Amino acid sequence: EVQLVESGGGLVQPGGSLRLSCAASGFTISIVTMSWVRQAPEKGLEWVSTITSGGGRTSYADSVKGRFTISRDNAKNTLYLQLNSLKIEDTAMYYCEFGDARPPPIRPRGQGIQVTVSS
């Protein structure tokens, strides 16, 4: 069974950091392009970042460029999103998705993980 399980969210102050994880099972993450998307309260899904299969080329939304880093650990079959210099507007549910999520899906695939940035 193919599964993606997000973890690592929480409450953090502005300027803080978090690392989100997306544990994959049922397939090999290194041969699949993967993305992170997010959904802020009362807003639609927003593409955040993508990492390609194989060579691992990365791309980022302008709103997170320079602050977020997408990566994967092939040995752990896990996708990551490092969130630095967090802003209040980064508050959202974060989801990992198969493929290049541009444009983002209408509905997220899984449960997601909450990130709340607040003082």
Side-chain angles (χ1 to χ4, degrees), residues 4-6 21-23 34-37 79 94-98 108-110 112-113:
L4 295 172
V5 179
E6 300 94 341
S21 300
C22 173
M34 299 291 296
S35 296
W36 287 94
V37 299
L79 178 73
Y94 285 72
Y95 305 88
C96 55
E97 296 285 344
F98 295 105
R109 171 209 49 78
I113 191 72

Side-chain angles (χ1 to χ4, degrees), residues 37-40 42-47 93 95-98 100-110:
V37 299
R38 67 185 181 183
Q39 187 166 27
E42 301 183 3
K43 293 189 176 181
L45 281 172
E46 174 191 18
W47 170 74
M93 285 290 290
Y95 305 88
C96 55
E97 296 285 344
F98 295 105
D100 188 334
R102 290 173 285 185
I106 295 173
R107 296 182 188 84
R109 171 209 49 78

Side-chain angles (χ1 to χ4, degrees), residues 3-7 21-25 27 29 76-79 96:
Q3 276 195 318
L4 295 172
V5 179
E6 300 94 341
S7 63
S21 300
C22 173
S25 58
F27 71 101
I29 202 167
K76 295 182 178 179
N77 213 34
T78 299
L79 178 73
C96 55

